[in-house]
């Protein structure tokens, strides 16, 4: 059958339109769109935060402003964050929080429980993330250069002093990098040296697996999603020395991994904590 040449162009355009509509509706496209919006929205919120934070200059109190600005983001993504064990946070003293690190989405769980005067320790590269980098700097976030172990360790040692003299708490991701494999990487020991040096307790925090609603590998990000953030009882470091650090790190990781498997709903564990009476809707236990 002979077709008018313009008809071929029209058919091709129709096909392209069909393909792009299919791609747009595909789960990968949704994943990319949602992640791009997530980063873009954070950059935008940081623009709002900067002038407010700048009034105080670089100050850990500014962390409250970032937290307030970020608290709504979970609603945009239909993620229900349930916090358990928040009563384990010591009310006044300094301490070191350690938590698992799955994705940049951890920010949502982190903001849900972030104690007052608590700052994360972050990779130096974050400083260059445009407005977000500047907002992080203004909020007193501590930056380390992971490529220079010596420098990173001396920053951590300074932090041990700051914890005590300026009454701050720090949040460390001891895996040292994001881990998408549905478990936990071996722990680096910086956070534990820090806690032992300052003789302050460690507060382990476990965020349940996101595999139900989010997977970077599969390019999948669906809604609704739910995540449990479990604050574990403090681990004392009183009287411990640097020789005790390896055992301390191993034992904290072991308790965190046990809880991670228990509260994750992706087949790694029962995940039944979210289904127990009082679980759903009960935000803080
Ligand atoms: C509205 C706007 C909103 C804006 C946006 C808001 C954003 C919020 C920000 C959230 C930021 C979150 C960012 C998260 C990250 O960036 S995670 C990546 C960075 N963090 C870490 O890496 C922390 C964990 N890493 C460590 O603790 C490491 O140990 C480190 C100190 C960094 C050193 O690492 P590395 O170079 O890989 O060396 P090792 O770990 O192998 O250590 C070498 C040996 O040194 C010993 N060690 C470590 N620390 C100490 C210390 N303080 N004192 C003495 N010795 C130390 C360590 O034990 C090793 O020796 P052994 O092998 O044990 O003998
Ligand atoms: C002008 C420059 C513009 C740059 C724009 C960069 C886009 C970034 C946009 C928003 C920043 C969002 C901040 C989210 C913070 C999440 C923290 C995070 O998850 O850091 C990763 C780090 O734990 C480990 O890194 P790696 O897994 O080792 O990698």
């Amino acid at each position: 059958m002979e077709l008018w040449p313009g008809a071929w162009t029209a058919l091709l355009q129709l096909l392209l339109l069909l393909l792009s509509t299919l791609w747009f509706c595909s789960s990968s496209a949704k994943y990319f769109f949602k992640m791009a919006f997530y980063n873009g929205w954070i950059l935008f919120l940081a623009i709002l935060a900067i002038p407010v934070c700048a009034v105080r200059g670089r100050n850990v109190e500014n962390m409250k402003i970032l937290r307030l600005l970020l608290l709504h983001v979970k609603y945009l993504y239909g993620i229900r964050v349930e916090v358990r064990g928040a009563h384990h946070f010591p009310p006044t003293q300094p301490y070191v929080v350690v938590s698992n690190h799955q994705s940049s989405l951890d920010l949502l769980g982190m903001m849900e429980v972030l104690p007052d005067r608590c700052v994360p320790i972050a990779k130096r590269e974050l400083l260059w993330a445009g407005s977000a980098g500047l907002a992080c700097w203004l909020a007193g976030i501590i930056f380390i250069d992971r490529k220079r172990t010596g420098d990173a360790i001396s920053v951590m040692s300074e932090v041990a002093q700051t914890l005590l003299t300026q009454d701050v708490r720090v949040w460390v991701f001891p895996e040292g990098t994001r881990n998408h494999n549905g478990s936990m990487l071996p722990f680096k020991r910086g956070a534990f040296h820090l806690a032992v040096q300052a003789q302050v307790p460690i507060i382990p925090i476990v965020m349940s697996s996101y595999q139900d609603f989010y997977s970077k590998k599969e390019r999948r990000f669906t809604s609704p999603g739910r995540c449990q953030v479990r604050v574990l009882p403090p681990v004392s470091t009183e009287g411990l020395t640097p020789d005790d650090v390896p055992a301390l790190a191993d034992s904290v990781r072991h308790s965190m991994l046990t809880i991670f498997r228990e509260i994750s709903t992706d087949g790694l564990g029962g995940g039944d904590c979210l289904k127990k009476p009082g679980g759903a809707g009960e935000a803080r236990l």
Side-chain angles (χ1 to χ4, degrees):
M1 187 179 65
E2 284 272 319
L3 270 185
W4 164 64
W8 286 112
T9 321
L11 263 176
L12 196 67
Q13 281 175 349
L14 199 68
L15 193 68
L16 279 176
L17 187 72
L18 197 72
L19 284 176
S20 48
T21 311
L22 279 176
W23 189 81
F24 190 74
C25 297
S26 79
S27 125
S28 306
K30 280 186 190 142
Y31 168 87
F32 283 114
F33 175 76
K34 283 182 163 183
M35 289 317 286
F37 181 79
Y38 181 72
N39 288 330
W41 190 241
I42 289 177
L43 290 173
F44 169 71
L45 292 173
I47 292 173
L48 301 184
I50 288 167
V52 187
C53 293
V55 173
R56 267 195 283 238
R58 180 163 156 87
N59 191 317
V60 294
E61 290 294 334
N62 283 335
M63 207 57 220
K64 280 189 192 139
I65 294 165
L66 302 199
R67 178 171 181 253
L68 269 178
L69 279 168
L70 287 164
L71 273 173
H72 70 283
V73 179
K74 61 179 182 290
Y75 299 116
L76 301 181
Y77 287 88
I79 300 172
R80 200 185 83 205
V81 185
E82 184 195 355
V83 177
R84 293 197 182 188
H87 58 276
H88 289 306
F89 283 119
T92 49
Q93 71 186 102
Y95 46 83
V96 175
V97 172
V98 293
S99 83
N100 57 321
H101 198 12
Q102 304 178 67
S103 147
S104 55
L105 294 183
D106 295 342
L107 215 49
L108 307 184
M110 178 194 243
M111 293 303 150
E112 212 62 24
V113 290
L114 192 79
D116 280 351
R117 298 187 66 76
C118 182
V119 285
I121 291 193
K123 60 175 183 180
R124 198 168 170 269
E125 291 84 338
L126 195 59
L127 252 183
W128 315 120
S131 54
L134 181 54
C136 287
W137 183 84
L138 284 167
I141 288 179
I142 298 154
F143 296 98
I144 51 166
D145 187 345
R146 293 183 297 182
K147 292 187 202 93
R148 294 168 188 258
T149 303
D151 287 0
I153 291 178
S154 53
V155 169
M156 299 288 255
S157 300
E158 278 170 35
V159 172
Q161 290 303 313
T162 315
L163 281 187
L164 302 171
T165 55
Q166 291 176 33
D167 181 34
V168 290
R169 297 96 194 238
V170 290
W171 184 303
V172 185
F173 292 100
E175 290 168 277
T177 188
R178 286 166 286 187
N179 169 37
H180 305 276
N181 76 4
S183 181
M184 278 181 215
L185 298 174
F187 280 3
K188 291 183 172 279
R189 293 172 179 161
F192 304 92
H193 277 290
L194 169 58
V196 166
Q197 247 170 294
Q199 293 283 291
V200 297
I202 292 167
I203 312 294
I205 293 187
V206 183
M207 299 191 211
S208 63
S209 166
Y210 305 152
Q211 292 285 330
D212 270 359
F213 62 95
Y214 172 86
S215 163
K216 184 178 176 164
K217 204 166 106 201
E218 296 162 24
R219 307 274 182 254
R220 174 171 53 77
F221 192 172
T222 53
S223 343
R226 56 186 189 181
C227 167
Q228 187 183 130
V229 180
R230 177 81 71 92
V231 184
L232 306 190
V235 178
S236 170
T237 62
E238 220 178 294
L240 298 189
T241 69
D243 289 344
D244 299 311
V245 163
L248 175 68
D250 286 350
S251 114
V252 170
R253 182 176 181 274
H254 181 263
S255 10
M256 287 173 67
L257 198 52
T258 306
I259 297 295
F260 179 78
R261 289 185 175 138
E262 189 186 311
I263 66 177
S264 296
T265 52
D266 57 1
L268 291 165
D272 57 354
C273 308
L274 291 167
K275 295 174 203 142
K276 277 181 189 159
E282 196 161 335
R284 282 168 196 270
L285 299 181

